[in-house]
Amino acid sequence: MADDTDRPESHEEIMWATHQALCTHGYADLTMRKIAAESSKSHSLLAYHYNTKDELIAAYLDFLTDLLHADLEETDGADPLERLEGFLDYFTVGTEVYPERLQVAFLELQMVALRNEELREKMAEHDTENFGLLAGIIDDGIEQEVFRADIDSEAYAKFILLSVMGASEHETTTGIEGLTDDVRALLRTDVVEALLIDSSGDSDSPFS
């Protein structure tokens, strides 16, 4: 994550401009000029601080993680189940922060990352941060004695988040409606239920 001293003035405006440009044009047609057109900043200012659009995309991925960090900080001390649900809302296609057009752009980014080592590393860092944030919510639930103490929070976090992200990606690419809703419903009734100390189901978890 970039240090604040390395960020240009109006960093947040530039990041939201990148967000809007990605949603509008996708990754393939994205240019620094198109990003600048979504903000009050000039193309030359963006080019001064970011050598390439991939460098700007890397900063944008950090920005998304920062947004999620900020949202989670506001819910510190809240019910762990509500925090978990709110976390998953962030990765569900169709929200203001994560519209379907952004999902399409992220799918493009994944394809580019197959042959772009720097971008692949940044996307891996982004995912790892998100896994850690969700594992932290589960750990808080364990500390509050809402979730069982014998579970592997990191394994659960990866499984839950990848399930929702995978469903969202497939729903976007295939157009099959309801995939994400179905997966989330199953996560609630089977996987998340298995986290609870007072779960009436089988307490033996394959992720323990």
Side-chain angles (χ1 to χ4, degrees):
M1 197 173 298
D3 187 90
D4 286 344
T5 57
D6 297 328
R7 293 176 172 176
E9 288 187 29
S10 303
H11 172 75
E12 185 171 346
E13 180 186 349
I14 294 172
M15 293 300 100
W16 280 116
T18 304
H19 175 84
Q20 185 58 45
L22 258 179
C23 290
T24 301
H25 305 287
Y27 175 81
D29 294 326
L30 186 69
T31 66
M32 299 284 273
R33 291 190 183 280
K34 288 177 179 177
I35 294 172
E38 298 289 348
S39 77
S40 63
K41 307 306 174 185
S42 66
H43 171 259
S44 59
L45 176 68
L46 265 64
Y48 174 78
H49 289 289
Y50 304 99
N51 294 322
T52 65
K53 74 173 183 180
D54 283 349
E55 190 174 315
L56 186 46
I57 289 296
Y60 170 69
L61 292 175
D62 285 339
F63 173 70
L64 289 181
T65 302
D66 288 344
L67 281 180
L68 187 52
H69 266 288
D71 286 346
L72 290 179
E73 286 176 0
E74 292 181 0
T75 64
D76 277 349
D79 178 76
L81 284 173
E82 292 181 3
R83 295 186 73 206
L84 192 155
E85 187 75 14
F87 183 94
L88 296 183
D89 284 343
Y90 193 88
F91 291 92
T92 300
V93 173
T95 62
E96 181 180 357
V97 175
Y98 200 15
E100 184 174 341
R101 292 175 298 170
L102 184 61
Q103 173 74 84
V104 172
F106 267 53
L107 288 170
E108 291 179 324
L109 282 173
Q110 290 175 17
M111 294 301 100
V112 174
L114 290 174
R115 298 182 180 276
N116 184 320
E117 181 67 26
E118 184 176 352
L119 184 56
R120 182 163 66 251
E121 289 179 358
K122 173 52 66 175
M123 294 191 73
E125 178 185 324
H126 179 65
D127 281 352
T128 300
E129 283 265 5
N130 291 331
F131 294 145
L133 289 174
L134 182 50
I137 292 175
I138 296 173
D139 286 334
D140 287 345
I142 293 172
E143 185 175 341
Q144 295 176 41
E145 298 185 344
V146 175
F147 297 149
R148 292 165 35 219
D150 62 332
I151 61 174
D152 184 335
S153 61
E154 292 185 3
Y156 261 100
K158 291 173 183 176
F159 180 82
I160 292 171
L161 185 52
L162 288 174
S163 295
V164 171
M165 291 173 63
S168 294
E169 290 173 2
H170 280 282
E171 187 165 339
T172 299
T173 56
T174 65
I176 300 175
E177 297 182 358
L179 289 179
T180 307
D181 289 341
D182 289 346
V183 167
R184 287 188 64 159
L186 192 61
L187 287 173
R188 289 189 192 98
T189 58
D190 286 37
V191 179
V192 175
E193 185 72 16
L195 290 171
L196 300 175
I197 287 178
D198 61 352
S199 172
S200 58
D202 184 0
S203 62
D204 292 329
S205 166
F207 304 103
S208 298

